[in-house]
Short mmCIF file of all heavy atoms in Angstrom, two decimals:
data_model
loop_
_atom_site.label_atom_id
_atom_site.label_comp_id
_atom_site.label_asym_id
_atom_site.label_seq_id
_atom_site.Cartn_x
_atom_site.Cartn_y
_atom_site.Cartn_z
N LYS A 1 -0.83 -8.73 -37.90
CA LYS A 1 -1.37 -8.67 -39.27
C LYS A 1 -0.79 -7.46 -40.06
O LYS A 1 -0.43 -7.54 -41.14
CB LYS A 1 -2.89 -8.65 -39.25
CG LYS A 1 -3.49 -9.94 -38.64
CD LYS A 1 -5.00 -9.85 -38.56
CE LYS A 1 -5.59 -11.12 -37.96
NZ LYS A 1 -7.03 -11.02 -37.89
N ASP A 2 -0.93 -6.33 -39.31
CA ASP A 2 -0.55 -4.99 -39.97
C ASP A 2 0.00 -4.06 -39.03
O ASP A 2 0.20 -4.39 -37.84
CB ASP A 2 -1.79 -4.46 -40.75
CG ASP A 2 -3.02 -4.42 -39.79
OD1 ASP A 2 -2.82 -4.30 -38.54
OD2 ASP A 2 -4.14 -4.48 -40.31
N GLU A 3 0.18 -2.85 -39.44
CA GLU A 3 0.81 -1.75 -38.57
C GLU A 3 -0.24 -1.46 -37.46
O GLU A 3 0.27 -1.11 -36.34
CB GLU A 3 1.11 -0.59 -39.43
CG GLU A 3 2.30 -0.76 -40.35
CD GLU A 3 3.56 -0.97 -39.67
OE1 GLU A 3 3.72 -0.43 -38.55
OE2 GLU A 3 4.43 -1.73 -40.16
N ASP A 4 -1.47 -1.46 -37.69
CA ASP A 4 -2.44 -1.16 -36.68
C ASP A 4 -2.32 -2.12 -35.52
O ASP A 4 -2.41 -1.74 -34.35
CB ASP A 4 -3.81 -1.12 -37.26
CG ASP A 4 -4.05 0.02 -38.19
OD1 ASP A 4 -3.33 1.01 -38.11
OD2 ASP A 4 -4.97 -0.07 -39.10
N GLN A 5 -2.32 -3.42 -35.81
CA GLN A 5 -2.17 -4.49 -34.80
C GLN A 5 -0.86 -4.30 -34.05
O GLN A 5 -0.79 -4.56 -32.84
CB GLN A 5 -2.32 -5.83 -35.40
CG GLN A 5 -2.56 -6.86 -34.30
CD GLN A 5 -2.83 -8.22 -34.98
OE1 GLN A 5 -2.19 -8.64 -35.88
NE2 GLN A 5 -3.80 -8.96 -34.37
N LEU A 6 0.18 -3.92 -34.77
CA LEU A 6 1.51 -3.71 -34.15
C LEU A 6 1.36 -2.55 -33.12
O LEU A 6 1.85 -2.69 -31.97
CB LEU A 6 2.57 -3.40 -35.20
CG LEU A 6 3.91 -2.92 -34.69
CD1 LEU A 6 4.53 -4.06 -33.89
CD2 LEU A 6 4.85 -2.55 -35.81
N LYS A 7 0.76 -1.45 -33.50
CA LYS A 7 0.56 -0.38 -32.57
C LYS A 7 -0.32 -0.80 -31.37
O LYS A 7 -0.09 -0.37 -30.24
CB LYS A 7 -0.07 0.83 -33.30
CG LYS A 7 0.82 1.46 -34.29
CD LYS A 7 0.14 2.62 -34.96
CE LYS A 7 1.10 3.35 -35.98
NZ LYS A 7 0.41 4.44 -36.63
N GLU A 8 -1.28 -1.66 -31.66
CA GLU A 8 -2.14 -2.11 -30.59
C GLU A 8 -1.38 -2.90 -29.56
O GLU A 8 -1.53 -2.71 -28.33
CB GLU A 8 -3.28 -2.93 -31.20
CG GLU A 8 -4.24 -3.51 -30.14
CD GLU A 8 -5.30 -4.47 -30.76
OE1 GLU A 8 -5.33 -4.54 -31.98
OE2 GLU A 8 -6.00 -5.12 -29.98
N TYR A 9 -0.53 -3.82 -30.04
CA TYR A 9 0.31 -4.58 -29.15
C TYR A 9 1.25 -3.66 -28.26
O TYR A 9 1.47 -3.87 -27.05
CB TYR A 9 1.12 -5.58 -29.88
CG TYR A 9 0.34 -6.70 -30.50
CD1 TYR A 9 0.92 -7.64 -31.41
CD2 TYR A 9 -0.94 -6.99 -30.17
CE1 TYR A 9 0.22 -8.68 -31.93
CE2 TYR A 9 -1.74 -8.00 -30.64
CZ TYR A 9 -1.11 -8.85 -31.55
OH TYR A 9 -1.83 -9.96 -32.08
N ILE A 10 1.79 -2.72 -29.00
CA ILE A 10 2.76 -1.74 -28.29
C ILE A 10 1.95 -0.97 -27.18
O ILE A 10 2.47 -0.75 -26.06
CB ILE A 10 3.38 -0.84 -29.30
CG1 ILE A 10 4.34 -1.70 -30.19
CG2 ILE A 10 4.24 0.23 -28.52
CD1 ILE A 10 5.03 -0.89 -31.34
N GLU A 11 0.74 -0.51 -27.54
CA GLU A 11 -0.05 0.25 -26.57
C GLU A 11 -0.42 -0.68 -25.35
O GLU A 11 -0.45 -0.21 -24.17
CB GLU A 11 -1.29 0.69 -27.23
CG GLU A 11 -1.05 1.89 -28.21
CD GLU A 11 -2.35 2.34 -28.89
OE1 GLU A 11 -3.39 1.65 -28.64
OE2 GLU A 11 -2.28 3.30 -29.67
N LYS A 12 -0.70 -1.93 -25.64
CA LYS A 12 -1.05 -2.78 -24.52
C LYS A 12 0.17 -3.09 -23.60
O LYS A 12 0.02 -3.16 -22.38
CB LYS A 12 -1.60 -4.14 -25.08
CG LYS A 12 -3.06 -3.96 -25.56
CD LYS A 12 -3.57 -5.31 -26.10
CE LYS A 12 -5.01 -5.16 -26.60
NZ LYS A 12 -5.61 -6.50 -26.99
N ILE A 13 1.32 -3.18 -24.25
CA ILE A 13 2.54 -3.39 -23.45
C ILE A 13 2.76 -2.11 -22.57
O ILE A 13 3.12 -2.19 -21.42
CB ILE A 13 3.75 -3.54 -24.36
CG1 ILE A 13 3.68 -5.01 -25.03
CG2 ILE A 13 5.01 -3.50 -23.58
CD1 ILE A 13 4.70 -5.26 -26.04
N GLU A 14 2.49 -0.92 -23.23
CA GLU A 14 2.59 0.32 -22.41
C GLU A 14 1.61 0.36 -21.28
O GLU A 14 2.02 0.81 -20.13
CB GLU A 14 2.39 1.47 -23.34
CG GLU A 14 2.68 2.85 -22.72
CD GLU A 14 2.38 4.01 -23.62
OE1 GLU A 14 1.93 3.74 -24.84
OE2 GLU A 14 2.63 5.14 -23.30
N GLN A 15 0.38 -0.01 -21.53
CA GLN A 15 -0.62 -0.08 -20.46
C GLN A 15 -0.21 -0.96 -19.31
O GLN A 15 -0.36 -0.61 -18.14
CB GLN A 15 -1.95 -0.43 -21.07
CG GLN A 15 -2.59 0.58 -22.01
CD GLN A 15 -3.83 0.09 -22.62
OE1 GLN A 15 -4.32 -1.06 -22.35
NE2 GLN A 15 -4.45 0.88 -23.51
N LYS A 16 0.26 -2.12 -19.71
CA LYS A 16 0.65 -3.05 -18.65
C LYS A 16 1.84 -2.64 -17.86
O LYS A 16 1.97 -2.77 -16.68
CB LYS A 16 0.93 -4.53 -19.29
CG LYS A 16 -0.22 -5.07 -19.97
CD LYS A 16 -1.43 -5.30 -19.10
CE LYS A 16 -2.66 -5.90 -19.83
NZ LYS A 16 -3.80 -6.08 -18.92
N THR A 17 2.75 -1.97 -18.60
CA THR A 17 3.94 -1.46 -17.95
C THR A 17 3.53 -0.31 -16.95
O THR A 17 4.05 -0.27 -15.84
CB THR A 17 4.92 -0.93 -18.94
OG1 THR A 17 5.27 -1.92 -19.91
CG2 THR A 17 6.26 -0.42 -18.22
N TYR A 18 2.65 0.53 -17.41
CA TYR A 18 2.09 1.57 -16.49
C TYR A 18 1.45 1.02 -15.28
O TYR A 18 1.58 1.50 -14.17
CB TYR A 18 1.18 2.46 -17.29
CG TYR A 18 0.61 3.59 -16.47
CD1 TYR A 18 1.31 4.71 -16.09
CD2 TYR A 18 -0.76 3.50 -16.00
CE1 TYR A 18 0.74 5.73 -15.34
CE2 TYR A 18 -1.29 4.49 -15.20
CZ TYR A 18 -0.51 5.63 -14.82
OH TYR A 18 -1.10 6.57 -14.05
N ARG A 19 0.67 -0.05 -15.55
CA ARG A 19 0.05 -0.73 -14.43
C ARG A 19 1.00 -1.32 -13.43
O ARG A 19 0.79 -1.15 -12.17
CB ARG A 19 -0.83 -1.86 -15.00
CG ARG A 19 -1.46 -2.83 -13.97
CD ARG A 19 -2.51 -2.17 -13.22
NE ARG A 19 -3.27 -3.11 -12.36
CZ ARG A 19 -4.02 -2.68 -11.35
NH1 ARG A 19 -4.09 -1.45 -11.05
NH2 ARG A 19 -4.59 -3.65 -10.58
N MET A 20 2.09 -1.91 -13.94
CA MET A 20 3.13 -2.38 -13.05
C MET A 20 3.76 -1.27 -12.22
O MET A 20 4.02 -1.46 -10.98
CB MET A 20 4.20 -3.11 -13.85
CG MET A 20 3.73 -4.46 -14.38
SD MET A 20 5.03 -5.25 -15.38
CE MET A 20 6.34 -5.41 -14.19
N LYS A 21 4.02 -0.19 -12.88
CA LYS A 21 4.60 0.92 -12.18
C LYS A 21 3.66 1.49 -11.12
O LYS A 21 4.12 1.83 -10.00
CB LYS A 21 4.86 2.11 -13.17
CG LYS A 21 5.57 3.29 -12.57
CD LYS A 21 5.89 4.39 -13.59
CE LYS A 21 6.57 5.57 -12.92
NZ LYS A 21 5.74 6.18 -11.84
N GLN A 22 2.45 1.53 -11.42
CA GLN A 22 1.41 2.10 -10.40
C GLN A 22 1.40 1.07 -9.18
O GLN A 22 1.37 1.60 -8.08
CB GLN A 22 0.03 2.13 -11.07
CG GLN A 22 -1.04 2.81 -10.29
CD GLN A 22 -2.29 2.84 -10.99
OE1 GLN A 22 -2.75 1.84 -11.51
NE2 GLN A 22 -2.90 4.02 -11.05
N LEU A 23 1.39 -0.20 -9.45
CA LEU A 23 1.35 -1.16 -8.31
C LEU A 23 2.61 -1.07 -7.47
O LEU A 23 2.62 -1.07 -6.24
CB LEU A 23 1.19 -2.50 -8.84
CG LEU A 23 -0.18 -2.89 -9.48
CD1 LEU A 23 -0.12 -4.26 -10.16
CD2 LEU A 23 -1.25 -2.81 -8.41
N THR A 24 3.75 -0.91 -8.13
CA THR A 24 5.00 -0.78 -7.34
C THR A 24 5.10 0.55 -6.61
O THR A 24 5.67 0.51 -5.47
CB THR A 24 6.26 -0.97 -8.29
OG1 THR A 24 6.18 0.00 -9.36
CG2 THR A 24 6.37 -2.40 -8.86
N ASP A 25 4.55 1.59 -7.22
CA ASP A 25 4.49 2.85 -6.49
C ASP A 25 3.68 2.78 -5.26
O ASP A 25 4.03 3.29 -4.23
CB ASP A 25 3.97 3.99 -7.42
CG ASP A 25 5.03 4.32 -8.50
OD1 ASP A 25 6.22 4.00 -8.35
OD2 ASP A 25 4.61 5.00 -9.46
N HIS A 26 2.55 2.15 -5.37
CA HIS A 26 1.69 1.95 -4.24
C HIS A 26 2.30 1.11 -3.12
O HIS A 26 2.23 1.38 -1.95
CB HIS A 26 0.38 1.29 -4.61
CG HIS A 26 -0.59 2.17 -5.36
ND1 HIS A 26 -1.73 1.68 -6.03
CD2 HIS A 26 -0.54 3.50 -5.59
CE1 HIS A 26 -2.36 2.72 -6.58
NE2 HIS A 26 -1.60 3.85 -6.33
N LEU A 27 3.00 0.05 -3.57
CA LEU A 27 3.74 -0.78 -2.59
C LEU A 27 4.81 0.02 -1.86
O LEU A 27 5.00 -0.07 -0.60
CB LEU A 27 4.28 -1.98 -3.23
CG LEU A 27 4.98 -3.03 -2.39
CD1 LEU A 27 4.04 -3.54 -1.34
CD2 LEU A 27 5.62 -4.18 -3.19
N PHE A 28 5.58 0.81 -2.64
CA PHE A 28 6.67 1.58 -2.05
C PHE A 28 6.06 2.64 -1.11
O PHE A 28 6.61 2.85 -0.01
CB PHE A 28 7.41 2.31 -3.19
CG PHE A 28 8.44 3.26 -2.65
CD1 PHE A 28 9.65 2.72 -2.03
CD2 PHE A 28 8.37 4.63 -2.76
CE1 PHE A 28 10.61 3.51 -1.58
CE2 PHE A 28 9.30 5.45 -2.19
CZ PHE A 28 10.49 4.93 -1.67
N GLU A 29 4.95 3.31 -1.47
CA GLU A 29 4.30 4.21 -0.57
C GLU A 29 3.87 3.58 0.75
O GLU A 29 4.00 4.14 1.80
CB GLU A 29 3.14 4.94 -1.34
CG GLU A 29 2.48 6.02 -0.50
CD GLU A 29 1.37 6.65 -1.29
OE1 GLU A 29 0.34 5.96 -1.51
OE2 GLU A 29 1.49 7.80 -1.69
N TYR A 30 3.21 2.45 0.55
CA TYR A 30 2.72 1.72 1.73
C TYR A 30 3.84 1.35 2.69
O TYR A 30 3.73 1.44 3.90
CB TYR A 30 2.01 0.50 1.27
CG TYR A 30 1.46 -0.37 2.43
CD1 TYR A 30 0.33 0.02 3.07
CD2 TYR A 30 2.14 -1.52 2.84
CE1 TYR A 30 -0.16 -0.71 4.20
CE2 TYR A 30 1.65 -2.32 3.85
CZ TYR A 30 0.49 -1.89 4.55
OH TYR A 30 0.05 -2.64 5.59
N SER A 31 5.03 0.93 2.14
CA SER A 31 6.12 0.66 3.01
C SER A 31 6.63 1.78 3.75
O SER A 31 7.15 1.72 4.84
CB SER A 31 7.27 -0.03 2.17
OG SER A 31 7.77 0.91 1.28
N LEU A 32 6.57 3.01 3.18
CA LEU A 32 7.02 4.21 3.80
C LEU A 32 6.06 4.59 5.00
O LEU A 32 6.55 4.87 6.09
CB LEU A 32 7.10 5.37 2.85
CG LEU A 32 8.23 5.33 1.81
CD1 LEU A 32 8.12 6.52 0.83
CD2 LEU A 32 9.53 5.35 2.44
N VAL A 33 4.80 4.63 4.76
CA VAL A 33 3.89 5.11 5.74
C VAL A 33 3.66 4.06 6.88
O VAL A 33 3.16 4.43 7.94
CB VAL A 33 2.51 5.44 5.14
CG1 VAL A 33 2.71 6.59 4.11
CG2 VAL A 33 1.81 4.25 4.52
N THR A 34 3.88 2.78 6.59
CA THR A 34 3.73 1.81 7.67
C THR A 34 4.97 1.55 8.46
O THR A 34 5.02 0.65 9.35
CB THR A 34 3.27 0.45 7.10
OG1 THR A 34 4.18 0.03 6.11
CG2 THR A 34 1.85 0.59 6.56
N GLY A 35 6.06 2.30 8.22
CA GLY A 35 7.32 2.13 9.01
C GLY A 35 7.20 2.71 10.40
O GLY A 35 6.11 3.24 10.75
N ASN A 36 8.23 2.58 11.21
CA ASN A 36 8.21 3.00 12.54
C ASN A 36 8.64 4.45 12.80
O ASN A 36 8.70 4.91 13.92
CB ASN A 36 9.13 2.04 13.40
CG ASN A 36 8.67 0.66 13.50
OD1 ASN A 36 7.41 0.47 13.51
ND2 ASN A 36 9.52 -0.30 13.48
N ASP A 37 8.93 5.12 11.71
CA ASP A 37 9.38 6.46 11.79
C ASP A 37 8.24 7.35 12.31
O ASP A 37 7.10 7.33 11.80
CB ASP A 37 9.87 7.03 10.49
CG ASP A 37 11.06 6.24 9.90
OD1 ASP A 37 11.78 5.70 10.82
OD2 ASP A 37 11.29 6.29 8.74
N GLU A 38 8.55 8.20 13.34
CA GLU A 38 7.57 9.12 13.87
C GLU A 38 7.50 10.35 13.04
O GLU A 38 8.56 10.79 12.52
CB GLU A 38 7.84 9.40 15.39
CG GLU A 38 7.80 8.18 16.27
CD GLU A 38 6.38 7.61 16.41
OE1 GLU A 38 5.41 8.48 16.25
OE2 GLU A 38 6.20 6.43 16.55
N ILE A 39 6.34 10.94 12.98
CA ILE A 39 6.20 12.23 12.29
C ILE A 39 5.88 13.29 13.34
O ILE A 39 5.46 13.09 14.44
CB ILE A 39 5.09 12.16 11.23
CG1 ILE A 39 3.78 11.93 11.96
CG2 ILE A 39 5.37 11.13 10.18
CD1 ILE A 39 2.60 12.09 10.98
N ARG A 40 6.23 14.53 12.98
CA ARG A 40 5.95 15.67 13.83
C ARG A 40 4.87 16.60 13.16
O ARG A 40 5.06 17.11 12.10
CB ARG A 40 7.18 16.54 14.01
CG ARG A 40 6.97 17.74 14.95
CD ARG A 40 8.25 18.46 15.20
NE ARG A 40 9.18 17.71 16.00
CZ ARG A 40 10.40 18.08 16.39
NH1 ARG A 40 10.82 19.29 15.98
NH2 ARG A 40 11.13 17.30 17.07
N LEU A 41 3.71 16.57 13.88
CA LEU A 41 2.57 17.36 13.31
C LEU A 41 2.91 18.87 13.33
O LEU A 41 3.61 19.31 14.23
CB LEU A 41 1.35 17.07 14.10
CG LEU A 41 0.79 15.66 14.10
CD1 LEU A 41 -0.48 15.49 14.96
CD2 LEU A 41 0.51 15.20 12.68
N GLU A 42 2.40 19.50 12.37
CA GLU A 42 2.61 20.98 12.26
C GLU A 42 1.75 21.74 13.23
O GLU A 42 0.84 21.19 13.88
CB GLU A 42 2.37 21.39 10.79
CG GLU A 42 3.24 20.71 9.84
CD GLU A 42 2.74 20.75 8.41
OE1 GLU A 42 1.79 21.45 8.20
OE2 GLU A 42 3.31 19.97 7.54
N SER A 43 2.04 22.97 13.33
CA SER A 43 1.21 23.88 14.25
C SER A 43 -0.16 23.88 13.90
O SER A 43 -0.60 23.77 12.71
CB SER A 43 1.77 25.29 14.28
OG SER A 43 3.17 25.32 14.64
N PRO A 44 -1.12 23.93 14.81
CA PRO A 44 -2.63 23.97 14.53
C PRO A 44 -2.94 25.15 13.57
O PRO A 44 -2.39 26.28 13.72
CB PRO A 44 -3.25 24.18 15.82
CG PRO A 44 -2.31 23.65 16.93
CD PRO A 44 -0.94 24.01 16.29
N GLU A 45 -3.80 24.81 12.55
CA GLU A 45 -4.25 25.89 11.60
C GLU A 45 -5.69 25.65 11.32
O GLU A 45 -6.22 24.50 11.47
CB GLU A 45 -3.31 25.74 10.35
CG GLU A 45 -3.58 26.90 9.38
CD GLU A 45 -3.28 28.23 10.00
OE1 GLU A 45 -2.13 28.69 10.11
OE2 GLU A 45 -4.30 28.83 10.39
N PHE A 46 -6.39 26.68 10.80
CA PHE A 46 -7.77 26.57 10.47
C PHE A 46 -7.96 25.59 9.31
O PHE A 46 -7.12 25.52 8.41
CB PHE A 46 -8.36 27.92 10.15
CG PHE A 46 -8.52 28.85 11.30
CD1 PHE A 46 -7.72 29.92 11.61
CD2 PHE A 46 -9.55 28.60 12.26
CE1 PHE A 46 -7.86 30.71 12.67
CE2 PHE A 46 -9.72 29.40 13.36
CZ PHE A 46 -8.91 30.48 13.54
N PHE A 47 -9.05 24.85 9.34
CA PHE A 47 -9.39 23.90 8.36
C PHE A 47 -9.39 24.55 6.96
O PHE A 47 -8.88 23.96 5.97
CB PHE A 47 -10.71 23.22 8.71
CG PHE A 47 -11.18 22.22 7.73
CD1 PHE A 47 -10.68 20.99 7.80
CD2 PHE A 47 -12.14 22.49 6.80
CE1 PHE A 47 -11.11 19.95 6.89
CE2 PHE A 47 -12.57 21.54 5.85
CZ PHE A 47 -12.04 20.20 5.94
N GLU A 48 -9.95 25.70 6.85
CA GLU A 48 -10.01 26.41 5.56
C GLU A 48 -8.68 26.71 4.99
O GLU A 48 -8.41 26.57 3.80
CB GLU A 48 -10.87 27.65 5.69
CG GLU A 48 -10.95 28.45 4.39
CD GLU A 48 -11.73 29.74 4.59
OE1 GLU A 48 -12.17 30.04 5.72
OE2 GLU A 48 -12.02 30.44 3.55
#
C-alpha cells in the first residue's frame, strides 16, 4: 500500500533470513560436536 508496508515486508524478510541463518548455524555446530574427532581436556583448574 505504502512505504510503511514496504518497510514491513523488508523487515519480515530480514527476520526470516536471520532465522534461516540461525538454524543453519545450529546445524553446523551440531555436526561439529557430534563428529568422531577427539578433544584434549585442559589441565585441571579451580571452578572459580
